[in-house]
Amino acid sequence: MENQKIGCYICTGCGIGDLLDIKLLEDMATKESRIPVVRTHAFLCGEEGLTTIRHDMQNEAVNTVVIAACSPRVHVETFRQLEAPLLDRVNLREQVIWVQHLKEEDDKDVFEEDRQMAAEDYLRMGCAKVKKMDPPEPFDDPGLSKTIMVVGGGVSGLTAAKEAADTGYDVVLVEKDAELGGRVAQMLKVSPVKPPYDQLEQPPTAALIAAVEGHDKIKIYKKATIKETTGAPGLFDVKIEYGAGEYSTGEDSTGEDSTGEDYSTGEDSTGEDSTGEDSTGEDSTGENSERIGAIVVATGYTLYDETKLTHLGHGTSPDVITAWEFEQMAKAGNIVRKSDGQPAKRVAFSLCAGSRDVQHLEYCSGACCTYSMKQALYVTEQYEDASTFLIYQEIRTPGQMEDFYRKVQNEGGVFIKGDINKVASGSNGGLTVDINDKLLRTPESLDVDLLVLATGMMPNIDTTDPNQETDLSASDANSVLNLQYRQGPSLPLLKWGFPDSHYICFPYETRRTGIHAAGPVRRPMGISSSMTDATGAALKAIQTVESIGRGAAVHPRVGDLSYPSFRVDGCTQCKRCTEECPFGAINEDDKSNPLFNPTRCRRCGTCMGACPQKIISFSNYSVDMISTMFKECEIPEEDEEKPRILIFACENDAYPALDMIGHNRGILTPYIRVVPLRCMGSMNLVWVADAMSAGYDGVLLMGCRHGDDYQCHFVRGSALAETRLNKVAETLDRLQLESERVKMIEVNIMDSDILPDKINAFVDDLEAFGPNPFKEF
Amino acid sequence: MAYDLSFAKDVYENAEEGHWIKMCMQCGVCAGSCPLGPHWEFSPRQLFQMIRAGKAEEVLKSESMWMCVSCYHCMVRCPRGLPITHIVHGLARFAVEKKRADKDQVTRRFAKILWENMERGGRIGEMALTTKLYMVNGIPDGVKKGMEMKDQAMSMLKSGRLKMDPLHLSRIRGHAGFKAMLKKAREIEQKKRES
Ligand code: SF4
Ligand code: SF4
Ligand code: SF4
Ligand code: SF4
């Protein structure tokens, strides 16, 4: 940073002043690190402490603040108030004085010396770090749009569109069919979506469609497909091909303006006009381009193929039908045996038909318990002497649906836990269903008129086989969005083909920034949940366009203004960054150079870690910055027998876990030096080589769990770090060092109790190799 | 036919608190809570599902509902709020009404003796009750039991815990009123049954 003036503030509160030699720290900062303003204060986080710093910022032109006190994870807001252009924290409390406690067997002088050395090293690193930082300049673009595009006009999409528009955002709604409403609109009734949650209701779609079609902020494309989606959040350009004449604001299309008619606002088209091939005919199509800020994907679900359910009797008799067929039958007001048209008064429902079954869909489809209960009520409503049987594995009625479950029981629905062994045509025309009754613990045989299979849900997105693990870069000819991304046109999918990034930590977020999934395409769910979900996704989309408007990251580094820059002239076109970015943020230009899209970026630094040329860096985070930091630490001479272990800790999970050891006053070896990383993915192998040449005896990497049930905040960062590390043996061999000196472990935020042992085990292992021979250089 | 619901409907409508049975979600908390659980042939949970499955004979002839000691453990724990203890007693009574309950079932016999004894004097006449219970299996057996317990009986007599009233002649104050009250209760019950 130009005209940088650093102020270093050492807090003596919280026991820091009692346990460390503050004078020595001050001297070190002044003389060794050459910090012009160095002060101590007994209570930096208090108003008086802050005033001291503010005073220096005003009168001494201090523009970079180093706070040597508690963990960067506490008092975040306190120090943010200073509005310092650059600020960094040195963690003397949680990771020095709170984790080093004199044990009986320790020599007091040695113990104190070790602790002081750790404090000094952390301060050195802090001072070195800020010298390598520049204040981030937020990304801006005059073309940024805050319009939200919703793909899918079913109950989820309608809700998302309405909620976003009601909040004041322009919405573009794209529906592939000629009518809005999706599946729900085709239902007779729906399970309750409002209190007291025990009444069947009319499908909510009619009211939603009316609200959406009459909304002046919503533009609707029907019979539409998305030809391509180029650009990035805030700057998406979406080409929509739509059917003409399907919907108009009033007057019929005369053919003069083939684009103006198909969306409800009737405003002029904003993008390219239709190609106008055949603008008068009913079947003619138009094409339009929209500038979009964020996208909500609400494409719903497909039902599992019932013909695969022969074990549940499908195909044995026309009286074994799917729930969707039954719905249409009930809607026609005629619940009868399909075989002979006799009234169907005894109806059995086979729940989990194809769900929770390793042969079919391994997951619970979430809604079939509830919709089967709804359908049981249809029978009771039509026939006074109806008997309904719900054959289940477990009943899963999440949320308020428990009340509905009670209602159905009270109406006489009989629930039978068990497996269907055999379905055969009965003697008197109906069906005989043999059940292994797990409640009675006996085989039972049930005579019914109809057996309804409650088939499960599969996400309606770019995938063919949900059992097939989908490759991250899977391309798909039938892609919904047709993304023009280097990594392929499709959204990356989780295990069963759902395009989410993490159900619990980051709901609604796909692995493409600014594209949010809602409703059953995100995970299987019913109507009430879908409406809640769509509202959540709409909010998330709003958060996206607003954050991008400020040049800030949306998630998980909410508000981060920094983003990587590429010194392209040094690029060897190795493509590592474009391939490894977990979010597909980097395209390639015609010369195969990386073409970065700042608004797609989640600022993890995985690209920076991947780049062998070290040409990718953030203004406040770079390969050079981290190297300089750990090289600042004093490495004791070999004969002092004080090993040094460098720990790279993911700042999302591992670093807080280390802090928690301090909060619990646990013990950590004084030989470690911890450097937090944005994500393990940003770990550049150069650091390992540098650390070894600098004389560290070992390097321990602490990343999040990876694999199918990953916990990495950036999805693939820790997995990629592990892959890179496999190559490290090579580097170490070149240095003639044992490759076991570098190790990666998975650390969960809850691991503070086992972490000291894991670290100690590593230290013990290193002892076997003896000191790093590079120390002497 | 399995899961013929006519028996279930009969129970829902005619057994005391029977309509609650359809609300059972088969969680088994009652079975796990009952201190006598291991001694039951069918736990409340099982009984309720058997009723839905139409297993009338097995339910009505079962000894299970006679095992309840009215501790109310199950009832306070049932997540569905079923008044299980009352239902269980209701089922016992239902079995009597349907003439399926075993006449010699010990709980049934005890309940009958206890009730008759109480109705006679308006309160329990311990000496008469004990004598009657001792004699259920014949006089020699009763005499033998009486002899075994005579020391206890003597000290209870001395301390006034047992009243000398072998013929059960004592009556509570307002005995006529008590009788009238029971009569009225029976009438109400009858009316309820008829409607
Ligand atoms: S919702 Fe119910 S029926 Fe559907 S898969 Fe889950 S447990 Fe089975
Ligand atoms: S790897 Fe991370 S920092 Fe790099 S472009 Fe992708 S999201 Fe941004
Ligand atoms: S505790 Fe209640 S709900 Fe559970 S099995 Fe017993 S009666 Fe049924
Ligand atoms: S009240 Fe009866 S059934 Fe319920 S736990 Fe007690 S003994 Fe068992």
Side-chain angles (χ1 to χ4, degrees):
Chain A
M1 173 183 184
E2 259 179 73
N3 303 322
Q4 186 175 46
K5 187 163 183 193
I6 306 175
C8 174
Y9 302 86
I10 305 169
C11 187
T12 58
C14 292
I16 299 171
D18 306 329
L19 300 173
L20 297 173
D21 187 334
I22 301 295
K23 188 80 197 53
L24 281 180
L25 287 176
E26 280 183 288
D27 283 354
M28 196 215 75
T30 315
K31 296 194 186 114
E32 194 188 310
S33 298
R34 304 197 169 280
I35 303 297
V37 179
V38 179
R39 291 189 210 287
T40 62
H41 194 277
F43 188 30
L44 266 185
C45 58
E47 208 31 65
E48 205 184 276
L50 293 174
T51 308
T52 312
I53 304 172
R54 269 198 203 103
H55 183 269
D56 287 346
M57 288 170 65
Q58 275 154 20
N59 303 318
E60 305 272 344
V62 166
N63 52 18
T64 302
V65 176
V66 176
I67 309 264
C70 40
S71 164
R73 297 184 50 86
V74 297
H75 282 308
V76 181
E77 293 304 321
T78 313
F79 295 113
R80 191 177 286 162
Q81 294 170 44
L82 293 170
E83 292 177 6
L86 281 176
L87 183 139
D88 204 58
R89 310 272 300 270
V90 174
N91 190 350
L92 298 181
R93 192 180 72 176
E94 277 81 349
Q95 291 190 20
V96 181
I97 62 160
W98 280 0
V99 287
Q100 299 193 20
H101 311 287
L102 188 63
K103 286 170 284 179
E104 244 173 57
E105 66 271 22
D106 289 341
D107 176 323
K108 187 159 182 277
D109 291 340
V110 176
F111 166 80
E112 283 180 354
E113 188 193 45
D114 282 344
R115 185 170 61 191
Q116 182 74 20
M117 284 172 103
E120 286 175 11
D121 276 349
Y122 282 118
L123 189 56
R124 278 187 187 101
M125 288 202 276
C127 294
K129 183 180 181 186
V130 291
K131 289 182 193 164
K132 294 282 180 187
M133 282 164 79
D134 275 309
E137 294 273 342
F139 171 82
D140 195 15
D141 189 299
L144 286 178
S145 158
K146 289 190 177 175
T147 303
I148 292 165
M149 176 170 83
V150 178
V151 185
V155 77
S156 310
L158 290 168
T159 308
K162 177 176 181 297
E163 294 292 339
D166 284 351
T167 318
Y169 290 82
D170 288 320
V171 172
V172 171
L173 177 61
V174 182
E175 166 56 46
K176 75 170 179 345
D177 287 341
E179 293 302 330
L180 296 176
R183 276 184 192 275
V184 173
Q186 299 166 47
M187 292 177 180
L188 168 60
K189 286 183 186 166
V190 298
S191 49
V193 295
K194 57 178 187 291
Y197 295 101
D198 61 2
Q199 298 300 318
L200 290 187
E201 291 172 24
Q202 292 304 319
T205 33
L208 279 170
I209 293 171
V212 162
E213 292 196 330
H215 211 297
D216 61 356
K217 285 200 155 298
I218 305 178
K219 199 179 200 182
I220 306 166
Y221 291 95
K222 292 184 199 172
K223 265 193 167 176
T225 47
I226 293 169
K227 303 282 281 181
E228 64 170 29
T229 304
T230 52
L235 301 162
F236 284 124
D237 285 314
V238 184
K239 265 205 200 106
I240 304 165
E241 196 183 79
Y242 57 95
E246 286 303 324
Y247 180 74
S248 90
T249 44
E251 316 105 71
D252 264 352
S253 161
T254 54
E256 286 153 22
D257 177 7
S258 59
T259 58
E261 307 302 317
D262 222 37
Y263 29 82
S264 59
T265 53
E267 292 154 25
D268 261 356
S269 124
T270 49
E272 306 145 38
D273 264 6
S274 109
T275 47
E277 289 147 55
D278 181 7
S279 52
T280 44
E282 272 292 293
D283 295 327
S284 70
T285 57
E287 193 176 289
N288 217 358
S289 176
E290 295 278 358
R291 171 54 65 97
I292 297 294
I295 300 173
V296 174
V297 178
T299 43
Y301 61 96
T302 343
L303 288 164
Y304 189 69
D305 179 4
E306 69 274 13
T307 59
K308 293 183 185 161
L309 303 176
T310 47
H311 66 295
L312 299 176
H314 193 270
T316 44
S317 154
D319 292 330
V320 182
I321 60 174
T322 68
W324 190 249
E325 289 172 80
F326 184 78
E327 188 74 33
Q328 303 314 318
M329 193 186 248
K331 196 169 182 185
N334 196 23
I335 302 175
V336 292
R337 289 181 191 167
K338 270 177 82 181
S339 54
D340 56 8
Q342 291 298 307
K345 297 184 179 179
R346 280 175 68 89
V347 180
F349 297 85
S350 170
L351 275 58
C352 305
S355 298
R356 310 179 62 204
D357 181 339
V358 283
Q359 310 286 337
H360 302 277
L361 303 170
E362 270 190 51
Y363 52 82
C364 165
S365 287
C368 11
C369 280
T370 308
Y371 78 59
S372 299
M373 291 182 196
K374 169 189 84 171
Q375 295 187 332
L377 290 188
Y378 291 165
V379 190
T380 328
E381 278 182 0
Q382 185 169 343
Y383 303 110
E384 221 179 286
D385 52 344
S387 306
T388 52
F389 306 94
L390 294 99
I391 304 162
Y392 68 99
Q393 292 184 31
E394 274 92 31
I395 289 296
R396 294 190 176 171
T397 42
Q400 307 292 349
M401 289 308 125
E402 190 69 13
D403 289 334
F404 185 54
Y405 176 17
R406 283 198 192 101
K407 157 83 174 182
V408 176
Q409 279 186 299
N410 202 33
E411 294 293 316
V414 173
F415 290 76
I416 303 171
K417 184 182 169 84
D419 302 321
I420 291 180
N421 286 339
K422 197 173 149 232
V423 180
S425 294
S427 42
N428 53 354
L431 295 165
T432 300
V433 183
D434 289 344
I435 310 164
N436 166 22
D437 193 320
K438 291 179 181 163
L439 295 171
L440 299 173
R441 302 193 192 116
T442 46
E444 298 289 338
S445 158
L446 193 62
D447 285 344
V448 292
D449 298 311
L450 281 177
L451 176 64
V452 181
L453 304 181
T455 46
M457 294 182 178
M458 299 187 302
N460 214 350
I461 193 81
D462 323 355
T463 179
T464 41
D465 180 4
N467 282 347
Q468 185 186 307
E469 273 222 35
T470 315
D471 179 57
L472 260 187
S473 56
S475 61
D476 196 313
N478 306 313
S479 170
V480 173
L481 295 176
N482 278 305
L483 297 169
Q484 301 302 302
Y485 278 44
R486 151 81 175 82
Q487 292 180 3
S490 301
L491 295 172
L493 307 171
L494 284 183
K495 198 171 173 193
W496 305 113
F498 295 93
D500 209 337
S501 61
H502 197 291
Y503 292 121
I504 296 163
C505 300
F506 311 116
Y508 316 122
E509 295 167 11
T510 69
R511 284 187 235 169
R512 293 291 175 253
T513 307
I515 303 177
H516 309 280
V521 72
R522 188 170 80 78
R523 63 167 179 76
M525 63 177 86
I527 298 164
S528 175
S529 308
S530 296
M531 292 170 79
T532 317
D533 211 58
T535 311
L539 274 170
K540 205 77 205 178
I542 291 171
Q543 201 185 348
T544 298
V545 293
E546 288 302 329
S547 300
I548 285 169
R550 291 195 307 271
V554 193
H555 45 71
R557 296 180 59 84
V558 186
D560 187 0
L561 298 176
S562 71
Y563 57 88
S565 62
F566 296 65
R567 200 167 39 75
V568 178
D569 51 359
C571 173
T572 58
Q573 285 108 17
C574 74
K575 297 183 196 291
R576 281 184 207 163
C577 58
T578 60
E579 270 164 20
E580 290 194 7
C581 171
F583 309 103
I586 314 167
N587 276 14
E588 272 157 28
D589 66 12
D590 2 327
K591 294 195 205 80
S592 283
N593 282 322
L595 190 67
F596 176 58
N597 293 274
T599 59
R600 289 185 195 170
C601 173
R602 294 195 193 174
R603 299 119 210 264
C604 57
T606 297
C607 49
M608 171 180 126
C611 180
Q613 298 300 104
K614 299 185 279 179
I615 60 165
I616 307 176
S617 44
F618 298 71
S619 61
N620 52 10
Y621 187 61
S622 62
V623 175
D624 178 36
M625 181 185 97
I626 301 285
S627 281
T628 313
M629 281 167 70
F630 63 74
K631 283 189 206 152
E632 275 299 293
C633 294
E634 288 227 312
I635 306 288
E637 300 285 318
E638 192 181 318
D639 49 20
E640 284 181 50
E641 294 191 348
K642 287 181 193 289
R644 282 293 179 263
I645 293 102
L646 182 60
I647 293 186
F648 290 120
C650 159
E651 66 181 34
N652 304 297
D653 265 34
Y655 197 82
L658 287 165
D659 270 2
M660 255 184 266
I661 300 173
H663 291 145
N664 301 330
R665 303 300 191 275
I667 294 184
L668 283 175
T669 156
Y671 302 140
I672 55 169
R673 298 294 178 260
V674 179
V675 176
L677 301 184
R678 289 185 172 198
C679 170
M680 252 325 102
S682 68
M683 193 270 311
N684 194 301
L685 281 186
V686 145
W687 295 337
V688 174
D690 281 0
M692 284 298 150
S693 336
Y696 283 93
D697 299 281
V699 179
L700 187 60
L701 303 163
M702 297 181 176
C704 298
R705 185 166 72 210
H706 47 270
D708 264 351
D709 51 350
Y710 64 85
Q711 290 184 334
C712 177
H713 287 54
F714 298 96
V715 185
R716 295 207 303 151
S718 56
L720 289 164
E722 180 101 55
T723 315
R724 279 178 217 150
L725 213 58
N726 294 335
K727 298 182 202 147
V728 92
E730 214 179 284
T731 317
L732 294 181
D733 285 346
R734 207 165 355 103
L735 296 167
Q736 292 178 326
L737 279 170
E738 300 81 1
S739 53
E740 291 90 342
R741 284 184 188 271
V742 184
K743 187 176 164 187
M744 180 160 167
I745 55 173
E746 291 185 347
V747 178
N748 179 310
I749 197 162
M750 304 304 288
D751 280 351
S752 59
D753 51 339
I754 53 171
L755 204 44
D757 287 345
K758 287 195 175 179
I759 296 172
N760 292 338
F762 183 60
V763 177
D764 290 346
D765 288 349
L766 289 176
E767 223 163 79
F769 305 127
N772 176 353
F774 281 86
K775 277 191 206 291
E776 44 198 281
F777 300 115
Chain B
M1 176 175 60
Y3 286 96
D4 174 344
L5 300 187
S6 49
F7 175 58
K9 285 195 178 126
D10 191 8
V11 175
Y12 296 164
E13 278 159 28
N14 299 316
E16 190 182 342
E17 305 280 17
H19 64 280
W20 273 101
I21 291 172
K22 57 188 171 197
M23 299 308 291
C24 167
M25 61 173 177
Q26 295 288 304
C27 67
V29 165
C30 49
S33 306
C34 181
L36 265 74
H39 306 288
W40 292 43
E41 189 184 3
F42 306 118
S43 66
R45 173 194 79 70
Q46 278 171 298
L47 282 176
F48 300 165
Q49 189 69 11
M50 286 161 71
I51 290 168
R52 297 164 177 176
K55 300 195 179 286
E57 290 302 305
E58 278 158 274
V59 170
L60 296 176
K61 287 194 166 152
S62 136
E63 251 203 326
S64 293
M65 53 271 197
W66 296 99
M67 301 292 284
C68 174
V69 296
S70 304
C71 69
Y72 284 86
H73 261 155
C74 54
M75 191 157 147
V76 295
R77 287 184 179 170
C78 171
R80 275 295 169 84
L82 270 73
I84 305 169
T85 312
H86 303 171
I87 299 170
V88 167
H89 291 306
L91 285 175
R93 174 151 186 187
F94 189 69
V96 172
E97 281 164 11
K98 294 277 168 188
K99 307 212 174 359
R100 290 292 191 288
D102 180 1
K103 284 226 166 54
D104 291 330
Q105 208 288 330
V106 284
T107 321
R108 181 176 180 186
R109 226 161 36 170
F110 172 75
K112 194 160 181 287
I113 294 169
L114 182 86
W115 175 257
E116 285 165 0
N117 179 290
M118 200 268 295
E119 202 181 356
R120 182 178 160 107
R123 67 177 293 279
I124 300 290
E126 286 93 348
M127 190 163 272
L129 178 69
T130 321
T131 319
K132 184 134 198 202
L133 284 174
Y134 281 3
M135 299 299 170
V136 285
N137 291 330
I139 294 170
D141 188 60
V143 172
K144 199 171 145 231
K145 254 194 215 129
M147 289 313 286
E148 276 168 20
M149 300 295 284
K150 74 172 188 320
D151 291 348
Q152 274 94 326
M154 288 314 286
S155 40
M156 279 174 82
L157 269 170
K158 258 186 234 151
S159 61
R161 305 300 301 270
L162 189 65
K163 240 169 118 191
M164 197 49 164
D165 182 13
L167 299 176
H168 199 187
L169 298 172
S170 74
R171 297 288 178 272
I172 55 162
R173 236 182 292 144
H175 186 250
F178 169 72
K179 282 278 193 194
M181 204 169 76
L182 286 183
K183 189 164 167 259
K184 188 77 198 167
R186 285 204 176 92
E187 274 169 29
I188 295 173
E189 183 90 7
Q190 190 59 32
K191 238 184 238 151
K192 226 163 72 184
R193 227 154 265 279
E194 279 158 11
S195 66

